Amino acid sequence: GQNIDQPTEMTATEGAIVQINCTYQTSGFNGLFWYQQHAGEAPTFLSYNVLDGLEEKGRFSSFLSRSKGYSYLLLKELQMKDSASYLCAVSDSNYQLIWGAGTKLIIKP
Amino acid sequence: GAVVSQHPSWVICKSGTSVKIECRSLDFQATTMFWYRQFPKQSLMLMATSNEGSKATYEQGVEKDKFLINHASLTLSTLTVTSAHPEDSSFYICSATTGTDRRVFSYEQYFGPGTRLTVT
């Protein structure tokens, strides 16, 4: 079966750095996405990785290792507004998105 | 650009009644729209894919007679939850894409703000 695993919840301090991990087992791979979702709102696109390595975009970076079925989202200089759920999703061999359950990130002052 | 709206943003209905949720692409033509359901602390679950002018394709386990989807134009898709029950209470999210190529779908999905349905 297809599976996306990410921690349920993480807590970090304002101004700090946090890494949210995602491991996946899917039938085929056509890219991995990270989305941010605030409570009661729809997901918003953060990043897309299809090749191994690190993609940096401002305070957010995303890393992919296809051989390990592993990705992480790195958030730097955390702000209170970064409190949200972060969803990992993989595009499988049929280009269908398989979603993880999301990691709820709590930022403390 | 690429804005998707949903209406209503939240709705409370009585068990046994039907509820219609609208999904509109405001500044682009959405060839394909997707309907998702999300229960608290769970992942997004794709319910169905709809293409303008044709019947929706439902995912396994989703009752097509209960969740009626109509994609009548390139800017509007509707989801009607018929004979709603408390277990249908959930967060329903639509997304839209301009492409017909499945390779484009996952990269260019634009999400609506979601509709919170509560069935009492």
Side-chain angles (χ1 to χ4, degrees):
Chain A
Q2 309 207 88
N3 195 48
I4 309 283
D5 285 317
Q6 45 181 139
T8 304
E9 187 174 297
M10 298 181 71
T11 302
T13 305
E14 189 177 16
I17 299 173
V18 71
Q19 177 174 311
I20 302 174
N21 296 325
C22 171
T23 58
Y24 62 89
Q25 292 176 306
T26 57
S27 56
F29 179 83
N30 282 299
L32 185 144
F33 298 79
W34 284 96
Y35 281 84
Q36 181 190 61
Q37 185 179 27
H38 285 98
E41 298 181 11
T44 54
F45 172 81
L46 289 178
S47 68
Y48 172 67
N49 293 66
V50 67
L51 299 176
D52 290 350
L54 186 68
E55 294 274 346
E56 297 187 69
K57 191 184 293 184
R59 293 189 299 115
F60 293 6
S61 302
S62 56
F63 171 83
L64 174 67
S65 169
R66 288 172 297 172
S67 62
K68 295 181 180 179
Y70 168 70
S71 172
Y72 67 73
L73 179 70
L74 191 71
L75 292 76
K76 302 177 185 177
E77 302 171 16
L78 286 171
Q79 301 174 9
M80 297 303 293
K81 67 178 182 178
D82 297 329
S83 293
S85 287
Y86 291 85
L87 309 178
C88 173
V90 172
S91 177
D92 70 8
S93 57
N94 290 320
Y95 298 94
Q96 180 161 325
L97 278 180
I98 310 300
W99 295 84
T103 298
K104 182 178 181 180
L105 178 62
I106 299 169
I107 309 296
K108 295 186 174 180
Chain B
V3 178
V4 176
S5 71
Q6 277 185 244
H7 178 81
S9 56
W10 60 270
V11 58
I12 301 173
C13 71
K14 292 186 177 181
S15 186
T17 62
S18 295
V19 174
K20 180 184 284 188
I21 303 170
E22 292 186 350
C23 176
R24 292 183 185 272
S25 56
L26 299 185
D27 51 4
F28 67 100
Q29 293 187 326
T31 311
T32 304
M33 287 185 170
F34 304 89
W35 286 96
Y36 292 89
R37 181 168 52 180
Q38 186 179 33
F39 293 106
K41 299 184 179 181
Q42 295 187 24
S43 62
L44 292 171
M45 296 298 296
L46 180 65
M47 299 175 67
T49 303
S50 73
N51 294 100
E52 184 265 339
S54 62
K55 290 184 178 180
T57 302
Y58 290 81
E59 295 300 305
Q60 195 171 9
V62 178
E63 300 173 58
K64 62 181 181 181
D65 294 330
K66 181 171 180 61
F67 298 99
L68 302 178
I69 292 172
N70 186 301
H71 193 158
S73 75
L74 286 172
T75 59
L76 173 66
S77 177
T78 60
L79 167 68
T80 302
V81 183
T82 62
S83 187
H85 290 284
E87 56 265 31
D88 298 323
S89 298
S90 186
F91 191 52
Y92 291 86
I93 304 173
C94 73
S95 70
T97 180
T98 58
T100 56
D101 186 337
R102 290 190 69 93
R103 289 171 293 180
V104 174
F105 288 171
S106 55
Y107 188 67
E108 292 188 354
Q109 274 192 63
Y110 303 102
F111 287 88
T115 297
R116 174 76 58 192
L117 170 63
T118 302
V119 184
T120 60

